[in-house]
Amino acid sequence: MHAVVLAGGYATRMWPITRHRPKMLLPVGETTVIDQILTELEADDRIEQIYLSTNENFADEFEKHIEAEGYEKVSLSVEDTTEESEKFGVIGAMAQLVDREGVDDDLLVVAGDNLIGFALSDFLDYFENRAQPTLAAYDVGSREKATSYGVLALDGEEIVEFQEKPDKPKSSLVSIACYAFPADSIRFSEYLAGDNNPDEPGWFIEWLIEQESVFAYSFDEPWFDIGTPESYLEAVQWALDGDSIVSPSASTNGCEIGENVHVMANADLSDVTIEDAIVFPDARLEHVVLSDSVVDEHVSIEDTVLENALVGPYTRLS
């Protein structure tokens, strides 16, 4: 079996902290979003090859990260795009990857910005038992939230209806962009040849359930779709669970360090009250109150109160 981890997005809703950094490499506790996925797949003997699908803009950064982490199964598969307006859409990119890499085995596809509470090995066990296309499904708890996702209707465990981002969802059970396909069901080119929407994978699933049986692996464990600053901070809070991480090389003189705080290498904090926040390397904060915020590297902030803020790199605030 092969695996594809999707990491080609530009995360414009999280700019400026993702303007020059893949959101999948943002820290979540002691690891990153994408490393949780890659580590699981690297350890699963069923996975022969892992393709990290990204764009030209972030290819060098991911290449360095793969080498630094010592992954043996992971290789880059690079889309020919450098900005959001040039993207092929997820299904368009998947069709190109399958053709480019010569993928002809069963295929796992998972979004690299998924922080998933269940084990991917359990998902693959379920898929192997069904031997049919399978996706992971989660109840988001309200139909209003479900409007942002692909919404499912089930007969037992089989999907009988799929609505991609409907205005009036029929349920709150949604797809989380984690899919497994038998080799014969990797029909991206056939789907695109019918002049179908190349963008969201949900459109492909909606088409596929008319062709063959597709099953849902429903789970109750936590799940975070890291696409906004709010969802990112929620994921960090879940990962830290009230604890805080302060790098040994960081300075925190006269500070009140609250819950869910991550202060990275060589940051210099003086007289700072901080909670539910992330401070990147080499930032300098003095006489600051900071909450529910992300402060990027080489930032300097003095005599300021910040809440629900994203502070881009090399910013000066006073």
Side-chain angles (χ1 to χ4, degrees):
M1 189 175 195
H2 288 203
V4 174
V5 179
L6 301 171
Y10 292 88
T12 55
R13 289 180 294 172
M14 298 180 69
W15 284 10
I17 64 168
T18 55
R19 181 66 181 87
H20 300 290
R21 174 193 292 117
K23 68 177 175 179
M24 295 80 177
L25 294 184
L26 291 172
V28 178
E30 297 284 6
T31 185
T32 69
V33 182
I34 205 167
D35 282 314
Q36 177 175 313
I37 296 171
L38 295 178
T39 300
E40 280 197 67
L41 296 181
E42 182 90 2
D44 196 312
D45 292 338
R46 290 168 290 193
I47 303 296
E48 178 182 347
Q49 181 69 38
I50 305 165
Y51 301 105
L52 197 161
S53 176
T54 190
N55 55 68
E56 288 185 339
N57 215 31
F58 292 143
D60 288 345
E61 193 155 358
F62 276 120
E63 188 72 64
K64 293 174 184 175
H65 186 77
I66 291 169
E67 183 176 351
E69 294 298 319
Y71 293 119
E72 297 180 357
K73 298 180 183 178
V74 183
S75 61
L76 278 189
S77 186
V78 182
E79 301 174 14
D80 186 21
T81 68
T82 57
E83 58 185 61
E84 187 75 28
S85 61
E86 298 176 348
K87 286 184 63 59
F88 306 122
V90 175
I91 299 303
M94 285 300 306
Q96 287 201 358
L97 184 148
V98 167
D99 183 60
R100 182 170 61 245
E101 308 294 350
V103 176
D104 57 2
D105 294 319
D106 292 356
L107 183 66
L108 171 70
V109 180
V110 58
D113 55 2
N114 268 338
L115 187 62
I116 304 171
F118 65 83
L120 285 171
S121 59
D122 292 342
F123 175 73
L124 292 179
D125 289 343
Y126 180 95
F127 163 67
E128 287 188 329
N129 288 334
R130 299 301 179 282
Q132 290 288 138
T134 302
L135 59 78
Y138 181 77
D139 192 331
V140 293
S142 78
R143 297 191 182 191
E144 181 180 357
K145 289 182 180 179
T147 59
S148 300
Y149 302 99
V151 179
L152 317 178
L154 303 180
D155 180 6
E157 297 176 354
E158 184 175 354
I159 302 170
V160 293
E161 187 175 357
F162 193 100
Q163 301 171 284
E164 180 62 28
K165 297 181 179 177
D167 293 331
K168 297 181 179 180
K170 296 181 180 179
S171 78
S172 55
L173 186 67
V174 307
S175 168
I176 71 155
C178 178
Y179 314 94
F181 302 103
D184 292 342
S185 300
I186 305 173
R187 303 167 66 174
F188 305 131
S189 295
E190 179 185 350
Y191 167 81
L192 293 172
D195 199 27
N196 291 299
N197 190 322
D199 191 16
E200 299 289 347
W203 295 114
F204 174 71
I205 299 298
E206 187 174 330
W207 173 86
L208 191 62
I209 64 174
E210 299 296 328
Q211 319 299 318
E212 55 187 294
S213 295
V214 180
F215 286 86
Y217 171 84
S218 300
F219 66 96
D220 297 321
E221 292 87 352
W223 165 66
F224 299 92
D225 171 21
I226 300 178
T228 66
E230 294 79 14
S231 61
Y232 172 51
L233 287 169
E234 286 174 3
V236 171
Q237 290 165 12
W238 172 75
L240 293 179
D241 193 25
D243 292 336
S244 293
I245 300 172
V246 178
S247 169
S249 64
S251 174
T252 56
N253 294 319
C255 295
E256 294 183 23
I257 307 293
E259 295 184 343
N260 306 315
V261 170
H262 191 172
V263 179
M264 297 186 218
N266 302 314
D268 185 0
L269 279 60
S270 178
D271 189 23
V272 173
T273 300
I274 180 173
E275 64 177 352
D276 296 319
I278 301 162
V279 178
F280 274 78
D282 300 300
R284 187 180 68 84
L285 283 65
E286 186 174 359
H287 307 304
V288 172
V289 177
L290 186 71
S291 63
D292 297 298
S293 299
V294 182
V295 174
D296 212 330
E297 58 190 2
H298 299 286
V299 165
S300 179
I301 306 176
E302 297 178 356
D303 305 308
T304 305
V305 176
L306 288 176
E307 184 178 3
N308 299 318
L310 296 179
V311 184
Y314 295 94
T315 299
R316 300 288 182 267
L317 294 175
S318 64

